[in-house]
Amino acid sequence: MASSIFLLISAFFLFITLPSFALNVSHDGRAITIDGERRILLSGSIHYPRSTPGMWPSLIKKAKEGGLNTIETYVFWNAHEAQRRQYDFSGNLDLVRFLKTVQDEGLYAVLRIGPYVCAEWNYGGFPVWLHNIPGIKFRTKNDVFMNEMSNFTTVIVDMMKHENLFASQGGPIIISQIENEYGNVIGSYGNDGKEYVQWCANLAQSYQTGVPWVMCQQSDAPSPMINTCNGWYCDQFTPNNPNSPKMWTENWTGWYKGWGLQDPHRTVEDLAYAVARFFQYGGTFQNYYMYHGGTNFGRTSGGPYITTSYDYDAPLDEYGNLNQPKWGHLKQLHLLLRSMEKVLTHGSVRSIEYGNMTTATIYSYEGKSSCFFGNGNAENDATINFENTMYTVPAWSVSILPDCFTEVYNTAKVNSQTSVMVKKGNAADDFEEPYVLKWQWRDEGFEHSNKNGLVEDSLMTVEQLLEQKAVTNDTSDYLWYITSFNVKNNDPILGKDTTLQVNTAGHIIHAFVNGRHVGSQYAQNGKYNFTFERKIKLNIGRNEIALLSVTVGLPNYGGNFDLVQTGISGPVNVVGRERLDDLTQKLGDEKYIIQEVTKELAFNKWTYKIGLRGERQQLHDPVHSHRWRWFGDNLPTSKMFVWYKTTFKAPTGSDPVVVDLMGLGKGHAWVNGHSIGRYWLSYLASEDGCSSTCDYRGTYSNSKCMTNCGKPSQRWYHVPRDFLNADDNNNTLVVFEEFGGNPWNVKFQTVTVGSACANAYEGNTLELSCQGGNVVSQIRFASFGSPNGACGSFGAGQCESPSALSTIQKACIGKERCSIDVSESYLGPTGCKETNRLAVEIIC
Ligand code: GAL
């Protein structure tokens, strides 16, 4: 019965769905062809689980408006199959809905199934239960692994087919990917690795999806797999198969961030330069990794130590706002490249070398020519003579002349606005001053055994130290290791100088002796194996040691990364040092012997208990949390292991919402039961390596242009509006504070454009915009002519048009966006001899 209703319903939808036509996608040595047409494909990565369904339509619209025609995403195995053979495609895991949103916008999709994805995602996308299957070896010729991998890949491919999502069925998916950058690590897997690559290729082929498959960074990709490039630059890349088009699956728009690290930035001048060069040298498919990075909600961040924010300095910021000028400057490039599609994909190519790394590349087709003038010199501008006209190409830039005469675009000349983002108070709070949330709290408590020596709800007791994820299956960050031992009154270990020494594979340890906290330590500087050592005091009789080991994301990259250990690896020793005073007389005053007595505990009986009590009680979820007692008075601060809870009003308007967790230490936060991720404000970004200026010229690396030194590596946490109840005070924030913090300064804010500057060249159209319904309230500065200075300190030059300011005021004040034709005919004559520029600063 249910199935016939389902059939009826689907028949109805079939009937009302607009007809979509199957596309014939193939490729040749020059390009991906769609229905026989060679295409320039400009793509951007948006990972569906790193945003919410409510954000998808606007993210995808902004990508389209930014000139992209394709959206790329990975598929996240451990999110969909968190427990073996139990699948979840709900909420932000609704892959089909995401792809249909892409399709609704008329964009193509690239589906990188992996199912190993790397992506700074927990365990690279592998479910941890996979690690615990006997006999398994990851990413190599191993039947157990290959069986699981093909099972999941088949689930995904079948789902795509069932929903008609491949282009061959009229859907948006034009390309799929199997594996991910295996070529980078194949050396760790010997001959079996080579066979595994062939097996991956066969598996992919066997699905007969009707669209091409890629394998990125796989220089031995078996035909018909297309080998593609990942990196900051890929202009010099050539695929192994001469019949494969030149494709760039990951153009890194910035970089990811780790706890304790600074914010990386990649300038748009450099990014545009890399893209333009790629197309200058015959590229046809280019994907921004990331176009929208988003947020690692829950415990999805990998690393270890990847922050909750996955902003990536991408063209759309973590919250979905335009990251300007990056978004706008690339948009102009995309529109221009797409307008040159025919000549770039069919034209004959010739080049002229001018020396000093300066090259003109000329594409000609059916009597039309388009040119790129590229200057790869990081210091010197180049002036070249091309067909009797002189052109200056700034250092580290590419000029594009679609008719080989007029420069329409130069990667180093940014004509888009630079937005200055601001955080605004929660207007729903009627500007209560000072802003204070009312908090309740509850103790987590520390685990210990009861009178009978038993630990309640423990999992097991074994005479061995176990690897953490093998025990927890990664269902929690937290694992208790508890043991006890007896000490007799004459035991030398009872001395004054007794220490506990614990070797751990990371990432954090909290140690308790006889129910008292003796210390905590976290891995730093990328060294996750460390020794924890503290003085302790033992009792005569029974002593108990409880170690809480905490993981902060599992590794996601490298040969055999899946085997990297976490948790207490041992040895665990109690070391007593005794001064043998009775020998002092014999040896003289200055000399005495210290006798060390070591009690090794690694092979003791260890009791294991997974997770926090509050996790079992589901304190994070308002549906369950009221069942437990919370306290309103004597709010503790700087106290470890405390749960805090408060209610708040949803900020009004449509600007993205963030919560400022300043004052808190380290832990996890939830809004209305939805995880907004781990937080760690007490971990400050290192003091070194930041600079206020950033030279776009020269090869980029992620340590080149960093900001935020000496500050919490992440202070603000995104609260997608999907998580909020719009009506009144009905929103709950719960945090688990692990290290100790102070919640009094926590506040909700919105993020929007506060002001914007631009410095546009004559001949361009300058788009100025605020966002979220906010309008331009003031033109703080405008000069058309030869303005000088930088945003915030612009000044008029020698010559300027007297009417520019009033023209811009008229066009923009009171509007959310306005468009300025940067020309003398619109802004008035300037009397300048050089090309005019417009400098403008608006307040939103
Ligand atoms: C690549 C990988 C991506 C991502 C990127 C860095 O090696 O394929 O998934 O991890 O590096 O952000």
Side-chain angles (χ1 to χ4, degrees):
M1 174 64 183
S3 68
S4 59
I5 292 177
F6 173 71
L7 273 176
L8 260 171
I9 296 174
S10 34
F12 175 72
F13 278 107
L14 247 157
F15 183 68
I16 58 158
T17 311
L18 292 173
S20 39
F21 301 100
L23 296 171
N24 179 354
V25 185
S26 63
H27 66 87
D28 55 28
R30 192 74 180 259
I32 295 281
T33 62
I34 300 180
D35 274 349
E37 296 284 338
R38 286 183 177 153
R39 301 303 307 271
I40 289 290
L41 293 167
L42 293 161
S43 171
S45 290
I46 300 177
H47 294 157
Y48 54 99
R50 285 179 157 139
S51 47
T52 53
M55 295 168 70
W56 296 342
S58 105
L59 292 175
I60 293 165
K61 260 199 190 78
K62 287 174 182 173
K64 181 181 183 180
E65 216 193 306
L68 301 187
N69 52 15
T70 309
I71 301 294
E72 179 272 351
T73 188
Y74 277 132
V75 179
F76 297 85
W77 185 358
N78 55 4
H80 294 302
E81 196 179 348
Q83 292 180 52
R84 192 159 182 258
R85 305 298 182 261
Q86 291 180 33
Y87 299 99
D88 183 1
F89 289 93
S90 64
N92 66 345
L93 299 180
D94 194 342
L95 172 61
V96 168
R97 176 167 167 191
F98 178 78
L99 291 169
K100 289 192 172 167
T101 315
V102 171
Q103 183 173 27
D104 289 345
E105 276 305 326
L107 301 183
Y108 301 127
V110 173
L111 193 67
R112 300 174 77 191
I113 301 178
Y116 163 67
V117 295
C118 193
E120 291 68 72
W121 187 264
N122 195 42
Y123 215 36
F126 287 129
V128 174
W129 54 256
L130 200 65
H131 168 76
N132 293 331
I133 303 181
I136 199 160
K137 277 191 184 161
F138 283 29
R139 301 179 81 196
T140 189
K141 197 178 142 249
N142 169 279
D143 287 340
V144 187
F145 176 78
M146 293 189 302
N147 178 44
E148 292 299 323
M149 171 165 163
S150 81
N151 183 78
F152 179 72
T153 311
T154 306
V155 166
I156 297 300
V157 171
D158 285 352
M159 178 181 276
M160 299 298 105
K161 283 187 179 171
H162 180 258
E163 300 286 336
N164 293 321
L165 287 168
F166 287 106
S168 51
Q169 304 172 291
I173 304 170
I174 53 167
I175 296 164
S176 311
Q177 179 181 301
I178 192 88
E179 249 295 341
N180 190 79
E181 295 193 330
Y182 190 68
N184 290 2
V185 296
I186 192 168
S188 311
Y189 301 89
N191 213 37
D192 282 356
K194 290 191 189 128
E195 290 188 38
Y196 169 65
V197 170
Q198 187 60 56
W199 175 83
C200 288
N202 294 345
L203 177 71
Q205 272 304 99
S206 74
Y207 291 123
Q208 304 199 357
T209 59
V211 301
W213 287 88
V214 299
M215 289 182 101
C216 60
Q217 296 283 94
Q218 194 69 51
S219 56
D220 59 351
S223 175
M225 300 290 111
I226 306 172
N227 167 32
T228 65
C229 182
N230 293 343
W232 280 302
Y233 308 92
C234 279
D235 46 281
Q236 297 306 308
F237 167 79
T238 38
N240 54 338
N241 183 339
N243 293 322
S244 295
K246 177 168 171 170
M247 294 172 67
W248 190 0
T249 28
E250 291 179 28
N251 177 3
W252 301 324
T253 53
W255 201 239
Y256 55 82
K257 187 165 63 166
W259 299 117
L261 296 180
Q262 312 86 331
D263 284 5
H265 295 285
R266 184 180 185 191
T267 63
V268 71
E269 290 93 333
D270 179 55
L271 187 53
Y273 167 77
V275 177
R277 266 179 88 85
F278 182 69
F279 286 97
Q280 173 171 10
Y281 292 105
T284 62
F285 169 97
Q286 187 273 155
N287 175 65
Y288 294 102
Y289 188 98
M290 300 296 297
Y291 195 74
H292 171 255
T295 308
N296 292 311
F297 299 113
R299 304 172 47 251
T300 60
S301 63
Y305 278 22
I306 298 294
T307 53
T308 292
S309 169
Y310 196 64
D311 181 87
Y312 223 89
D313 199 21
L316 299 178
D317 74 11
E318 177 180 3
Y319 320 119
N321 297 320
L322 304 186
N323 177 10
Q324 290 279 49
K326 209 171 245 189
W327 181 86
H329 190 50
L330 294 175
K331 170 182 176 164
Q332 289 174 1
L333 174 60
H334 301 152
L335 299 182
L336 184 58
L337 288 169
R338 284 171 64 184
S339 75
M340 293 154 57
E341 186 167 68
K342 266 258 143 49
V343 67
L344 291 182
T345 57
H346 291 270
S348 63
V349 191
R350 77 189 162 90
S351 62
I352 305 169
E353 295 296 336
Y354 290 91
N356 266 330
M357 308 176 83
T358 303
T359 309
T361 307
I362 304 108
Y363 285 86
S364 307
Y365 184 62
E366 291 183 339
K368 188 184 177 253
S369 290
S370 295
C371 288
F372 293 85
F373 298 162
N375 179 359
N377 193 299
E379 274 140 40
N380 303 318
D381 298 352
T383 300
I384 60 171
N385 180 338
F386 179 78
E387 291 179 352
N388 298 323
T389 307
M390 304 301 286
Y391 296 90
T392 297
V393 189
W396 204 258
S397 82
V398 177
S399 296
I400 304 177
L401 301 79
D403 61 357
C404 284
F405 183 71
T406 311
E407 173 189 314
V408 169
Y409 186 87
N410 174 273
T411 56
K413 296 178 188 163
V414 179
N415 291 297
S416 302
Q417 80 179 38
T418 299
S419 298
V420 180
M421 305 307 286
V422 290
K423 311 238 170 25
K424 291 193 170 166
N426 184 355
D429 283 309
D430 310 323
F431 298 102
E432 268 175 43
E433 285 292 341
Y435 182 102
V436 178
L437 292 163
K438 290 181 188 63
W439 291 93
Q440 291 184 300
W441 65 281
R442 207 183 132 75
D443 243 327
E444 164 62 25
F446 311 138
E447 293 301 339
H448 50 80
S449 53
N450 59 22
K451 273 185 264 146
N452 308 322
L454 298 173
V455 180
E456 258 172 56
D457 292 329
S458 68
L459 179 73
M460 60 178 156
T461 300
V462 288
E463 287 175 8
Q464 202 185 339
L465 285 169
L466 298 173
E467 202 274 331
Q468 184 155 346
K469 67 179 165 302
V471 179
T472 62
N473 249 319
D474 201 38
T475 50
S476 169
D477 282 356
Y478 301 94
L479 178 63
W480 288 94
Y481 293 69
I482 302 171
T483 195
S484 63
F485 55 93
N486 280 310
V487 175
K488 295 205 184 97
N489 60 357
N490 58 353
D491 196 320
I493 215 156
L494 269 179
K496 281 191 197 128
D497 197 11
T498 306
T499 60
L500 169 67
Q501 297 173 356
V502 183
N503 259 66
T504 176
H507 308 130
I508 300 177
I509 180 176
H510 302 284
F512 303 84
V513 175
N514 297 326
R516 289 185 51 177
H517 178 234
V518 296
S520 301
Q521 191 170 327
Y522 57 91
Q524 285 186 72
N525 306 321
K527 217 182 150 298
Y528 297 102
N529 279 292
F530 63 90
T531 304
F532 168 89
E533 184 164 2
R534 287 290 187 287
K535 275 204 172 166
I536 59 169
K537 237 183 117 38
L538 296 177
N539 300 330
I540 298 171
R542 187 172 180 279
N543 287 274
E544 181 167 279
I545 295 187
L547 305 172
L548 179 63
S549 175
V550 188
T551 52
V552 190
L554 299 177
N556 56 269
Y557 182 71
N560 297 308
F561 75 84
D562 52 296
L563 300 179
V564 174
Q565 304 249 313
T566 50
I568 312 293
S569 47
V572 177
N573 292 335
V574 174
V575 180
R577 283 182 202 81
E578 197 187 20
R579 181 168 152 174
L580 298 181
D581 282 328
D582 46 333
L583 288 175
T584 312
Q585 277 175 340
K586 283 187 212 156
L587 297 170
D589 268 357
E590 302 303 306
K591 295 181 187 145
Y592 49 84
I593 290 180
I594 299 271
Q595 178 176 295
E596 262 197 13
V597 202
T598 299
K599 197 177 256 310
E600 293 182 8
L601 298 176
F603 299 101
N604 249 35
K605 279 190 180 153
W606 288 90
T607 297
Y608 291 86
K609 182 163 179 176
I610 301 173
L612 304 171
R613 289 178 199 169
E615 286 180 314
R616 279 186 294 279
Q617 295 164 339
Q618 295 184 275
L619 296 183
H620 71 279
D621 188 344
V623 176
H624 302 282
S625 67
H626 69 268
R627 298 203 192 121
W628 309 94
R629 182 148 179 229
W630 293 78
F631 300 91
D633 297 332
N634 304 325
L635 193 84
T637 57
S638 308
K639 183 175 188 293
M640 69 190 295
F641 288 27
V642 185
W643 292 81
Y644 294 102
K645 183 166 89 160
T646 187
T647 52
F648 64 96
K649 291 180 188 170
T652 52
S654 62
D655 283 323
V657 178
V658 290
V659 57
D660 177 359
L661 295 185
M662 199 61 172
L664 293 182
K666 189 249 170 203
H668 199 144
W670 296 263
V671 168
N672 297 331
H674 302 277
S675 167
I676 57 167
R678 297 187 188 100
Y679 66 82
W680 197 344
L681 286 91
S682 57
Y683 202 165
L684 304 186
S686 110
E687 289 283 353
D688 307 321
C690 289
S691 62
S692 55
T693 57
C694 174
D695 188 350
Y696 66 84
R697 297 173 307 173
T699 308
Y700 179 73
S701 82
N702 54 312
S703 58
K704 193 172 164 187
C705 296
M706 299 188 301
T707 60
N708 204 43
C709 283
K711 303 206 181 113
S713 34
Q714 186 181 346
R715 173 170 170 182
W716 285 276
Y717 294 79
H718 185 207
V719 183
R721 283 194 180 266
D722 305 37
F723 291 178
L724 295 170
N725 302 315
D727 56 321
D728 49 62
N729 210 11
N730 192 17
N731 291 283
T732 306
L733 168 70
V734 175
V735 305
F736 170 64
E737 174 54 53
E738 181 180 323
F739 284 175
N742 176 353
W744 286 122
N745 291 320
V746 168
K747 51 179 172 290
F748 287 85
Q749 296 173 314
T750 55
V751 189
T752 193
V753 178
S755 61
C757 289
N759 205 334
Y761 288 79
E762 187 165 15
N764 287 283
T765 303
L766 173 64
E767 310 279 352
L768 291 171
S769 80
C770 298
Q771 73 170 33
N774 305 320
V775 297
V776 179
S777 62
Q778 190 196 336
I779 310 294
R780 192 187 271 171
F781 181 88
S783 172
F784 180 53
S786 58
N788 52 45
C791 186
S793 62
F794 282 135
Q798 298 285 324
C799 44
E800 67 171 345
S801 148
S803 60
L805 178 63
S806 61
T807 308
I808 295 171
Q809 281 169 336
K810 228 178 272 157
C812 298
I813 300 260
K815 303 218 175 91
E816 189 182 334
R817 55 176 66 207
C818 54
S819 171
I820 311 288
D821 174 10
V822 186
S823 68
E824 289 199 314
S825 58
Y826 184 67
L827 294 171
T830 62
C832 304
K833 289 200 185 75
E834 305 276 301
T835 312
N836 293 306
R837 275 183 304 108
L838 168 67
V840 50
E841 184 177 351
I842 61 168
I843 307 294
C844 289

